[in-house]
Amino acid sequence: MTIRYPRPLRPGDRIGVTSPSSGVAEKMRARLDVALRDLEQRGYEVVVGRCMDGSTHVSAPAADRAAELTAMLTDPAIRAVVPPWGGETAIDLLPLLDFEAIGRAEPTWVVGYSDMSTILTPLTLLTGVATVHGNNLMETPYRTPEGLMSWLDIVTAPQGEPLTQEPPGRYRTARFDDFVGHPEVRDFTLDAEGGWTRLDGDGDVDVEGRLIGGCVETVGPLAGTPYLDTSRFAGDEPLLVYVEACEDNAFTICRQLHGMRLAGFFDRAAAVLVGRTHAPDSPTLTQHEAVLDALGPLGVPVVAGVECGHVAPYLPLVNGARGRVVHTAARSGIVQTLD
């Protein structure tokens, strides 16, 4: 399967905003307005869809959400689609999305994380179109810490240009900022120190491969289905697989990762990147031990503490991009190339 990249976004382009999973509650609308205004001030035309209701856990019936997302991804005038955030049950869209029509259309950037992994990962695996696992719309107003990039930096970069990111060495211990009381917040509170750590042993890591992955709680249930089949992805190239846990305890994450491994998701992994998490340990198993229990048998480097999860700040990863991961005592980082 050949990886296809949408063309770089430029001022004047149209960005579609829709909620394939959870919409925006009325009390959060002020933050949404800030994020939309930021995109417009950057010179983009923003089109907000009808599937945005936040009164329950889904923004609209599944058929409506699937139709709106498909329409945006097949509209040549829309160059990127970004949701306000993730949610809980985007899995109900998968049998309703027209992946053939989306695959035939000119590629469009799709951005997000959390429950959006349920859409992003299958979209890349089934169509070959690169997608961005990165900060959602509601996080877009934050200033990007030194060393990292925002999703807008990624989608505006020239194809083939190396995209280098290094961990800032700090992260946020609180789960969320108060968007209700402070909708204009633009600075992350990075109140703890921490970098990347190798879980499977000692020694330097320097590995290359195609990137693919997502949120364990949302892509894990797809294991063994066509929506998470990496057998035809990127030919026979090795893969850099990233995973991250949102909220499930270590026992549940361990079971999910075992299931993904048994279904073949990690078969071509040259290394595994594990996102930093707020998810709880279990009485006799930590989150890191859960990862090693399930993925240690792969015999590849497993690097944890990566900023690719629910813990701010955010390090966007492009599903389908060629990546090189380096982790030594002196430095850590990843270079992605859209080729």
PDB file of all heavy atoms in Angstrom, residues 190-223:
ATOM      1  N   LEU A 190       2.996  23.077  32.917  1.00  0.00           N
ATOM      2  CA  LEU A 190       3.845  21.885  32.893  1.00  0.00           C
ATOM      3  C   LEU A 190       4.612  21.861  34.217  1.00  0.00           C
ATOM      4  O   LEU A 190       5.708  22.420  34.333  1.00  0.00           O
ATOM      5  CB  LEU A 190       4.780  21.919  31.688  1.00  0.00           C
ATOM      6  CG  LEU A 190       4.071  22.095  30.323  1.00  0.00           C
ATOM      7  CD1 LEU A 190       5.093  22.117  29.193  1.00  0.00           C
ATOM      8  CD2 LEU A 190       3.033  21.011  30.102  1.00  0.00           C
ATOM      9  N   ASP A 191       4.013  21.210  35.205  1.00  0.00           N
ATOM     10  CA  ASP A 191       4.483  21.329  36.575  1.00  0.00           C
ATOM     11  C   ASP A 191       5.302  20.145  37.072  1.00  0.00           C
ATOM     12  O   ASP A 191       5.626  20.061  38.262  1.00  0.00           O
ATOM     13  CB  ASP A 191       3.281  21.542  37.502  1.00  0.00           C
ATOM     14  CG  ASP A 191       2.233  20.443  37.377  1.00  0.00           C
ATOM     15  OD1 ASP A 191       2.195  19.769  36.331  1.00  0.00           O
ATOM     16  OD2 ASP A 191       1.439  20.271  38.312  1.00  0.00           O
ATOM     17  N   ALA A 192       5.624  19.209  36.190  1.00  0.00           N
ATOM     18  CA  ALA A 192       6.416  18.050  36.600  1.00  0.00           C
ATOM     19  C   ALA A 192       7.518  17.786  35.582  1.00  0.00           C
ATOM     20  O   ALA A 192       7.371  18.111  34.395  1.00  0.00           O
ATOM     21  CB  ALA A 192       5.530  16.814  36.751  1.00  0.00           C
ATOM     22  N   GLU A 193       8.608  17.211  36.054  1.00  0.00           N
ATOM     23  CA  GLU A 193       9.715  16.861  35.171  1.00  0.00           C
ATOM     24  C   GLU A 193       9.626  15.398  34.778  1.00  0.00           C
ATOM     25  O   GLU A 193       9.228  14.549  35.581  1.00  0.00           O
ATOM     26  CB  GLU A 193      11.051  17.135  35.855  1.00  0.00           C
ATOM     27  CG  GLU A 193      11.310  18.601  36.145  1.00  0.00           C
ATOM     28  CD  GLU A 193      12.688  18.837  36.733  1.00  0.00           C
ATOM     29  OE1 GLU A 193      13.416  17.841  36.949  1.00  0.00           O
ATOM     30  OE2 GLU A 193      13.034  20.009  36.968  1.00  0.00           O
ATOM     31  N   GLY A 194       9.992  15.104  33.552  1.00  0.00           N
ATOM     32  CA  GLY A 194       9.995  13.715  33.097  1.00  0.00           C
ATOM     33  C   GLY A 194      10.305  13.605  31.626  1.00  0.00           C
ATOM     34  O   GLY A 194       9.824  14.419  30.826  1.00  0.00           O
ATOM     35  N   GLY A 195      11.118  12.633  31.271  1.00  0.00           N
ATOM     36  CA  GLY A 195      11.458  12.400  29.880  1.00  0.00           C
ATOM     37  C   GLY A 195      11.082  11.000  29.451  1.00  0.00           C
ATOM     38  O   GLY A 195      10.268  10.336  30.086  1.00  0.00           O
ATOM     39  N   TRP A 196      11.676  10.534  28.371  1.00  0.00           N
ATOM     40  CA  TRP A 196      11.416   9.196  27.873  1.00  0.00           C
ATOM     41  C   TRP A 196      12.250   8.190  28.664  1.00  0.00           C
ATOM     42  O   TRP A 196      13.317   8.512  29.187  1.00  0.00           O
ATOM     43  CB  TRP A 196      11.784   9.103  26.407  1.00  0.00           C
ATOM     44  CG  TRP A 196      10.969   9.980  25.499  1.00  0.00           C
ATOM     45  CD1 TRP A 196      10.021  10.899  25.858  1.00  0.00           C
ATOM     46  CD2 TRP A 196      11.046  10.019  24.078  1.00  0.00           C
ATOM     47  NE1 TRP A 196       9.500  11.513  24.748  1.00  0.00           N
ATOM     48  CE2 TRP A 196      10.109  10.989  23.640  1.00  0.00           C
ATOM     49  CE3 TRP A 196      11.802   9.353  23.129  1.00  0.00           C
ATOM     50  CZ2 TRP A 196       9.924  11.289  22.282  1.00  0.00           C
ATOM     51  CZ3 TRP A 196      11.632   9.645  21.777  1.00  0.00           C
ATOM     52  CH2 TRP A 196      10.691  10.610  21.355  1.00  0.00           C
ATOM     53  N   THR A 197      11.746   6.966  28.729  1.00  0.00           N
ATOM     54  CA  THR A 197      12.474   5.909  29.424  1.00  0.00           C
ATOM     55  C   THR A 197      12.283   4.588  28.683  1.00  0.00           C
ATOM     56  O   THR A 197      11.200   4.303  28.185  1.00  0.00           O
ATOM     57  CB  THR A 197      11.988   5.775  30.883  1.00  0.00           C
ATOM     58  OG1 THR A 197      12.728   4.748  31.530  1.00  0.00           O
ATOM     59  CG2 THR A 197      10.507   5.429  30.953  1.00  0.00           C
ATOM     60  N   ARG A 198      13.344   3.819  28.590  1.00  0.00           N
ATOM     61  CA  ARG A 198      13.253   2.512  27.940  1.00  0.00           C
ATOM     62  C   ARG A 198      12.822   1.470  28.965  1.00  0.00           C
ATOM     63  O   ARG A 198      13.446   1.324  30.024  1.00  0.00           O
ATOM     64  CB  ARG A 198      14.592   2.126  27.313  1.00  0.00           C
ATOM     65  CG  ARG A 198      14.539   0.815  26.544  1.00  0.00           C
ATOM     66  CD  ARG A 198      15.791   0.547  25.734  1.00  0.00           C
ATOM     67  NE  ARG A 198      15.659  -0.722  25.024  1.00  0.00           N
ATOM     68  CZ  ARG A 198      16.564  -1.240  24.196  1.00  0.00           C
ATOM     69  NH1 ARG A 198      17.692  -0.575  23.975  1.00  0.00           N
ATOM     70  NH2 ARG A 198      16.349  -2.395  23.596  1.00  0.00           N
ATOM     71  N   LEU A 199      11.762   0.753  28.645  1.00  0.00           N
ATOM     72  CA  LEU A 199      11.183  -0.203  29.593  1.00  0.00           C
ATOM     73  C   LEU A 199      11.782  -1.600  29.492  1.00  0.00           C
ATOM     74  O   LEU A 199      11.804  -2.329  30.482  1.00  0.00           O
ATOM     75  CB  LEU A 199       9.666  -0.320  29.375  1.00  0.00           C
ATOM     76  CG  LEU A 199       8.820   0.933  29.563  1.00  0.00           C
ATOM     77  CD1 LEU A 199       7.346   0.592  29.381  1.00  0.00           C
ATOM     78  CD2 LEU A 199       9.058   1.562  30.917  1.00  0.00           C
ATOM     79  N   ASP A 200      12.247  -1.986  28.325  1.00  0.00           N
ATOM     80  CA  ASP A 200      12.627  -3.385  28.093  1.00  0.00           C
ATOM     81  C   ASP A 200      14.079  -3.686  28.429  1.00  0.00           C
ATOM     82  O   ASP A 200      14.517  -4.830  28.293  1.00  0.00           O
ATOM     83  CB  ASP A 200      12.368  -3.759  26.629  1.00  0.00           C
ATOM     84  CG  ASP A 200      13.218  -2.945  25.676  1.00  0.00           C
ATOM     85  OD1 ASP A 200      13.044  -1.704  25.657  1.00  0.00           O
ATOM     86  OD2 ASP A 200      14.056  -3.533  24.970  1.00  0.00           O
ATOM     87  N   GLY A 201      14.832  -2.686  28.821  1.00  0.00           N
ATOM     88  CA  GLY A 201      16.237  -2.928  29.123  1.00  0.00           C
ATOM     89  C   GLY A 201      17.036  -1.655  28.981  1.00  0.00           C
ATOM     90  O   GLY A 201      16.485  -0.551  28.929  1.00  0.00           O
ATOM     91  N   ASP A 202      18.348  -1.827  28.921  1.00  0.00           N
ATOM     92  CA  ASP A 202      19.240  -0.679  28.778  1.00  0.00           C
ATOM     93  C   ASP A 202      19.714  -0.583  27.333  1.00  0.00           C
ATOM     94  O   ASP A 202      19.390  -1.405  26.490  1.00  0.00           O
ATOM     95  CB  ASP A 202      20.446  -0.840  29.709  1.00  0.00           C
ATOM     96  CG  ASP A 202      20.029  -0.907  31.169  1.00  0.00           C
ATOM     97  OD1 ASP A 202      19.114  -0.147  31.551  1.00  0.00           O
ATOM     98  OD2 ASP A 202      20.618  -1.733  31.917  1.00  0.00           O
ATOM     99  N   GLY A 203      20.517   0.426  27.076  1.00  0.00           N
ATOM    100  CA  GLY A 203      21.096   0.577  25.747  1.00  0.00           C
ATOM    101  C   GLY A 203      20.391   1.645  24.933  1.00  0.00           C
ATOM    102  O   GLY A 203      19.235   2.003  25.190  1.00  0.00           O
ATOM    103  N   ASP A 204      21.118   2.146  23.945  1.00  0.00           N
ATOM    104  CA  ASP A 204      20.594   3.182  23.070  1.00  0.00           C
ATOM    105  C   ASP A 204      19.571   2.607  22.096  1.00  0.00           C
ATOM    106  O   ASP A 204      19.632   1.423  21.729  1.00  0.00           O
ATOM    107  CB  ASP A 204      21.719   3.836  22.275  1.00  0.00           C
ATOM    108  CG  ASP A 204      22.686   4.604  23.174  1.00  0.00           C
ATOM    109  OD1 ASP A 204      22.340   4.826  24.355  1.00  0.00           O
ATOM    110  OD2 ASP A 204      23.772   4.974  22.692  1.00  0.00           O
ATOM    111  N   VAL A 205      18.655   3.462  21.677  1.00  0.00           N
ATOM    112  CA  VAL A 205      17.659   3.093  20.670  1.00  0.00           C
ATOM    113  C   VAL A 205      17.840   4.001  19.460  1.00  0.00           C
ATOM    114  O   VAL A 205      17.918   5.225  19.595  1.00  0.00           O
ATOM    115  CB  VAL A 205      16.224   3.242  21.220  1.00  0.00           C
ATOM    116  CG1 VAL A 205      15.198   2.943  20.125  1.00  0.00           C
ATOM    117  CG2 VAL A 205      16.013   2.342  22.424  1.00  0.00           C
ATOM    118  N   ASP A 206      17.906   3.415  18.292  1.00  0.00           N
ATOM    119  CA  ASP A 206      17.960   4.160  17.028  1.00  0.00           C
ATOM    120  C   ASP A 206      17.271   3.289  15.986  1.00  0.00           C
ATOM    121  O   ASP A 206      17.883   2.376  15.431  1.00  0.00           O
ATOM    122  CB  ASP A 206      19.412   4.469  16.644  1.00  0.00           C
ATOM    123  CG  ASP A 206      19.521   5.428  15.455  1.00  0.00           C
ATOM    124  OD1 ASP A 206      18.504   5.598  14.735  1.00  0.00           O
ATOM    125  OD2 ASP A 206      20.596   6.013  15.250  1.00  0.00           O
ATOM    126  N   VAL A 207      15.996   3.546  15.752  1.00  0.00           N
ATOM    127  CA  VAL A 207      15.156   2.651  14.959  1.00  0.00           C
ATOM    128  C   VAL A 207      14.341   3.457  13.955  1.00  0.00           C
ATOM    129  O   VAL A 207      13.884   4.570  14.243  1.00  0.00           O
ATOM    130  CB  VAL A 207      14.185   1.848  15.867  1.00  0.00           C
ATOM    131  CG1 VAL A 207      13.442   0.806  15.057  1.00  0.00           C
ATOM    132  CG2 VAL A 207      14.939   1.191  17.016  1.00  0.00           C
ATOM    133  N   GLU A 208      14.131   2.863  12.771  1.00  0.00           N
ATOM    134  CA  GLU A 208      13.322   3.509  11.742  1.00  0.00           C
ATOM    135  C   GLU A 208      12.155   2.617  11.339  1.00  0.00           C
ATOM    136  O   GLU A 208      12.219   1.387  11.462  1.00  0.00           O
ATOM    137  CB  GLU A 208      14.177   3.824  10.512  1.00  0.00           C
ATOM    138  CG  GLU A 208      15.285   4.818  10.779  1.00  0.00           C
ATOM    139  CD  GLU A 208      16.016   5.211   9.502  1.00  0.00           C
ATOM    140  OE1 GLU A 208      15.333   5.419   8.463  1.00  0.00           O
ATOM    141  OE2 GLU A 208      17.256   5.310   9.544  1.00  0.00           O
ATOM    142  N   GLY A 209      11.095   3.246  10.840  1.00  0.00           N
ATOM    143  CA  GLY A 209       9.941   2.496  10.366  1.00  0.00           C
ATOM    144  C   GLY A 209       8.779   3.429  10.068  1.00  0.00           C
ATOM    145  O   GLY A 209       8.873   4.646  10.254  1.00  0.00           O
ATOM    146  N   ARG A 210       7.692   2.853   9.589  1.00  0.00           N
ATOM    147  CA  ARG A 210       6.468   3.618   9.331  1.00  0.00           C
ATOM    148  C   ARG A 210       5.640   3.694  10.612  1.00  0.00           C
ATOM    149  O   ARG A 210       5.463   2.691  11.317  1.00  0.00           O
ATOM    150  CB  ARG A 210       5.639   2.939   8.239  1.00  0.00           C
ATOM    151  CG  ARG A 210       6.261   2.964   6.858  1.00  0.00           C
ATOM    152  CD  ARG A 210       6.095   4.309   6.189  1.00  0.00           C
ATOM    153  NE  ARG A 210       6.753   4.323   4.879  1.00  0.00           N
ATOM    154  CZ  ARG A 210       6.796   5.395   4.087  1.00  0.00           C
ATOM    155  NH1 ARG A 210       6.204   6.518   4.467  1.00  0.00           N
ATOM    156  NH2 ARG A 210       7.416   5.328   2.926  1.00  0.00           N
ATOM    157  N   LEU A 211       5.096   4.854  10.883  1.00  0.00           N
ATOM    158  CA  LEU A 211       4.339   5.080  12.111  1.00  0.00           C
ATOM    159  C   LEU A 211       2.892   4.634  11.983  1.00  0.00           C
ATOM    160  O   LEU A 211       2.240   4.893  10.966  1.00  0.00           O
ATOM    161  CB  LEU A 211       4.385   6.565  12.477  1.00  0.00           C
ATOM    162  CG  LEU A 211       5.695   7.034  13.110  1.00  0.00           C
ATOM    163  CD1 LEU A 211       5.900   8.521  12.885  1.00  0.00           C
ATOM    164  CD2 LEU A 211       5.703   6.709  14.598  1.00  0.00           C
ATOM    165  N   ILE A 212       2.400   3.976  13.018  1.00  0.00           N
ATOM    166  CA  ILE A 212       0.985   3.617  13.115  1.00  0.00           C
ATOM    167  C   ILE A 212       0.689   3.355  14.593  1.00  0.00           C
ATOM    168  O   ILE A 212       1.554   2.899  15.340  1.00  0.00           O
ATOM    169  CB  ILE A 212       0.639   2.373  12.250  1.00  0.00           C
ATOM    170  CG1 ILE A 212      -0.874   2.251  12.052  1.00  0.00           C
ATOM    171  CG2 ILE A 212       1.230   1.118  12.833  1.00  0.00           C
ATOM    172  CD1 ILE A 212      -1.479   3.297  11.159  1.00  0.00           C
ATOM    173  N   GLY A 213      -0.532   3.662  14.999  1.00  0.00           N
ATOM    174  CA  GLY A 213      -0.880   3.400  16.392  1.00  0.00           C
ATOM    175  C   GLY A 213      -2.131   4.140  16.804  1.00  0.00           C
ATOM    176  O   GLY A 213      -2.937   4.543  15.973  1.00  0.00           O
ATOM    177  N   GLY A 214      -2.291   4.305  18.139  1.00  0.00           N
ATOM    178  CA  GLY A 214      -3.466   4.990  18.642  1.00  0.00           C
ATOM    179  C   GLY A 214      -3.718   4.710  20.107  1.00  0.00           C
ATOM    180  O   GLY A 214      -2.884   4.141  20.816  1.00  0.00           O
ATOM    181  N   CYS A 215      -4.905   5.107  20.550  1.00  0.00           N
ATOM    182  CA  CYS A 215      -5.333   4.970  21.937  1.00  0.00           C
ATOM    183  C   CYS A 215      -5.765   3.530  22.190  1.00  0.00           C
ATOM    184  O   CYS A 215      -6.635   2.997  21.491  1.00  0.00           O
ATOM    185  CB  CYS A 215      -6.479   5.937  22.199  1.00  0.00           C
ATOM    186  SG  CYS A 215      -7.207   5.818  23.839  1.00  0.00           S
ATOM    187  N   VAL A 216      -5.191   2.898  23.205  1.00  0.00           N
ATOM    188  CA  VAL A 216      -5.436   1.479  23.461  1.00  0.00           C
ATOM    189  C   VAL A 216      -6.914   1.197  23.698  1.00  0.00           C
ATOM    190  O   VAL A 216      -7.472   0.229  23.173  1.00  0.00           O
ATOM    191  CB  VAL A 216      -4.602   0.998  24.664  1.00  0.00           C
ATOM    192  CG1 VAL A 216      -4.938  -0.450  25.010  1.00  0.00           C
ATOM    193  CG2 VAL A 216      -3.116   1.138  24.373  1.00  0.00           C
ATOM    194  N   GLU A 217      -7.575   2.025  24.499  1.00  0.00           N
ATOM    195  CA  GLU A 217      -8.977   1.765  24.826  1.00  0.00           C
ATOM    196  C   GLU A 217      -9.893   1.806  23.615  1.00  0.00           C
ATOM    197  O   GLU A 217     -10.937   1.145  23.601  1.00  0.00           O
ATOM    198  CB  GLU A 217      -9.488   2.778  25.861  1.00  0.00           C
ATOM    199  CG  GLU A 217      -8.907   2.598  27.253  1.00  0.00           C
ATOM    200  CD  GLU A 217      -7.725   3.504  27.509  1.00  0.00           C
ATOM    201  OE1 GLU A 217      -6.986   3.837  26.538  1.00  0.00           O
ATOM    202  OE2 GLU A 217      -7.515   3.884  28.664  1.00  0.00           O
ATOM    203  N   THR A 218      -9.522   2.588  22.588  1.00  0.00           N
ATOM    204  CA  THR A 218     -10.427   2.744  21.447  1.00  0.00           C
ATOM    205  C   THR A 218     -10.040   1.902  20.238  1.00  0.00           C
ATOM    206  O   THR A 218     -10.919   1.440  19.512  1.00  0.00           O
ATOM    207  CB  THR A 218     -10.545   4.227  21.040  1.00  0.00           C
ATOM    208  OG1 THR A 218      -9.302   4.688  20.515  1.00  0.00           O
ATOM    209  CG2 THR A 218     -10.962   5.079  22.217  1.00  0.00           C
ATOM    210  N   VAL A 219      -8.730   1.676  20.012  1.00  0.00           N
ATOM    211  CA  VAL A 219      -8.356   0.820  18.875  1.00  0.00           C
ATOM    212  C   VAL A 219      -8.241  -0.642  19.288  1.00  0.00           C
ATOM    213  O   VAL A 219      -8.351  -1.535  18.441  1.00  0.00           O
ATOM    214  CB  VAL A 219      -7.046   1.281  18.193  1.00  0.00           C
ATOM    215  CG1 VAL A 219      -7.190   2.682  17.656  1.00  0.00           C
ATOM    216  CG2 VAL A 219      -5.854   1.172  19.126  1.00  0.00           C
ATOM    217  N   GLY A 220      -8.049  -0.894  20.585  1.00  0.00           N
ATOM    218  CA  GLY A 220      -7.940  -2.276  21.046  1.00  0.00           C
ATOM    219  C   GLY A 220      -9.114  -3.147  20.662  1.00  0.00           C
ATOM    220  O   GLY A 220      -8.932  -4.292  20.220  1.00  0.00           O
ATOM    221  N   PRO A 221     -10.357  -2.646  20.802  1.00  0.00           N
ATOM    222  CA  PRO A 221     -11.508  -3.468  20.410  1.00  0.00           C
ATOM    223  C   PRO A 221     -11.560  -3.798  18.916  1.00  0.00           C
ATOM    224  O   PRO A 221     -12.328  -4.677  18.510  1.00  0.00           O
ATOM    225  CB  PRO A 221     -12.703  -2.584  20.802  1.00  0.00           C
ATOM    226  CG  PRO A 221     -12.192  -1.738  21.915  1.00  0.00           C
ATOM    227  CD  PRO A 221     -10.769  -1.439  21.538  1.00  0.00           C
ATOM    228  N   LEU A 222     -10.730  -3.133  18.094  1.00  0.00           N
ATOM    229  CA  LEU A 222     -10.707  -3.414  16.653  1.00  0.00           C
ATOM    230  C   LEU A 222      -9.746  -4.544  16.293  1.00  0.00           C
ATOM    231  O   LEU A 222      -9.684  -4.958  15.135  1.00  0.00           O
ATOM    232  CB  LEU A 222     -10.294  -2.154  15.878  1.00  0.00           C
ATOM    233  CG  LEU A 222     -11.132  -0.896  16.112  1.00  0.00           C
ATOM    234  CD1 LEU A 222     -10.574   0.257  15.287  1.00  0.00           C
ATOM    235  CD2 LEU A 222     -12.592  -1.151  15.757  1.00  0.00           C
ATOM    236  N   ALA A 223      -8.986  -5.032  17.262  1.00  0.00           N
ATOM    237  CA  ALA A 223      -8.001  -6.083  16.977  1.00  0.00           C
ATOM    238  C   ALA A 223      -8.668  -7.297  16.355  1.00  0.00           C
ATOM    239  O   ALA A 223      -9.717  -7.755  16.813  1.00  0.00           O
ATOM    240  CB  ALA A 223      -7.289  -6.484  18.267  1.00  0.00           C
TER     241      ALA A 223
END
